[in-house]
Amino acid sequence: MVLSIHKLGDPVLRYPVPEGDIDSAELKTIINDMTDTLREAKGLGLAAPQVGILKRIFVYDMGEGLRVMLNPQVVWESPEMEEDTEGCLSIPGGEVTVRRRAAVKIKAFDELGAIQEIDAEGLLARLFQHEIDHLNGVMIVDRTTEEERRRLIHEMIREDRG
Ligand code: ZN
């Protein structure tokens, strides 16, 4: 089932989600719904709070199939930083420049409960940091300049008016 994506301004996006166990039957539904929603939105990644689910879960697909990350943690981050443009399904209309770690290693459980560790750089490292930010109530408008933040909000309002 395709769920509606909450937009910037909705308090559900600003809640730091605590870690917790996820019931396996419930998890299956959540993952199916998040997958449908990600596909429909043609996004690369989607975090549970974006669809109003306060669980530490995100899904992503970089063109190699869907991956599910439960209770993800950054276990290593590079000292080097990298700037690039980023958009967000919760802020339709534009992109802003965001400075992030150039590389990270993250650890998470998959949908079957197996531990997965992934070394990421470039776009994937950026995606991981973006999605984990969502689980902590942080959004790209918090990580850019005041000027870019204003521009993005204006673009979102324009997009909203159609
Ligand atoms: Zn986002």
Side-chain angles (χ1 to χ4, degrees):
M1 187 174 75
V2 175
L3 305 173
S4 67
I5 298 176
H6 295 252
K7 302 296 189 303
L8 181 68
D10 192 320
V12 79
L13 293 168
R14 296 314 209 156
Y15 180 79
V17 183
E19 257 193 39
D21 290 338
I22 302 157
D23 172 77
S24 64
E26 187 192 4
L27 180 62
K28 209 171 168 197
T29 309
I30 292 173
I31 291 170
N32 285 340
D33 290 350
M34 286 180 69
T35 305
D36 292 347
T37 309
L38 179 69
R39 301 255 187 263
E40 168 83 12
K42 297 181 170 65
L44 294 179
L46 181 73
Q50 292 182 275
V51 286
I53 297 168
L54 294 173
K55 303 277 184 193
R56 295 189 74 86
I57 304 173
F58 72 83
V59 296
Y60 71 97
D61 188 346
M62 297 275 287
E64 290 166 8
L66 186 96
R67 299 286 295 262
V68 177
M69 310 298 270
L70 306 176
N71 289 327
Q73 282 183 319
V74 176
V75 292
W76 175 83
E77 53 188 26
S78 67
E80 298 81 29
M81 307 290 287
E82 217 167 63
E83 272 189 3
D84 207 344
T85 53
E86 244 172 75
C88 178
L89 293 176
S90 291
I91 317 175
E95 294 189 330
V96 287
T97 306
V98 182
R99 193 172 149 82
R100 298 212 185 259
R101 301 282 168 182
V104 292
K105 178 179 188 147
I106 79 161
K107 193 167 142 180
F109 294 96
D110 70 8
E111 63 273 41
L112 303 172
I115 287 187
Q116 43 187 349
E117 283 194 345
I118 304 177
D119 286 298
E121 53 177 27
L123 182 58
L124 185 59
R126 183 163 291 276
L127 181 141
F128 284 165
Q129 293 169 82
H130 179 119
E131 301 308 335
I132 291 172
D133 267 357
H134 274 305
L135 306 181
N136 297 325
V138 175
M139 298 185 72
I140 53 176
V141 286
D142 309 326
R143 294 201 183 274
T144 194
T145 60
E146 180 63 24
E147 197 185 330
E148 291 231 339
R149 194 176 71 84
R150 277 187 207 179
R151 178 182 51 76
L152 182 60
I153 290 169
H154 280 125
E155 284 167 359
M156 177 182 162
I157 294 166
R158 206 179 307 137
E159 174 91 8
D160 200 41
R161 286 192 186 132

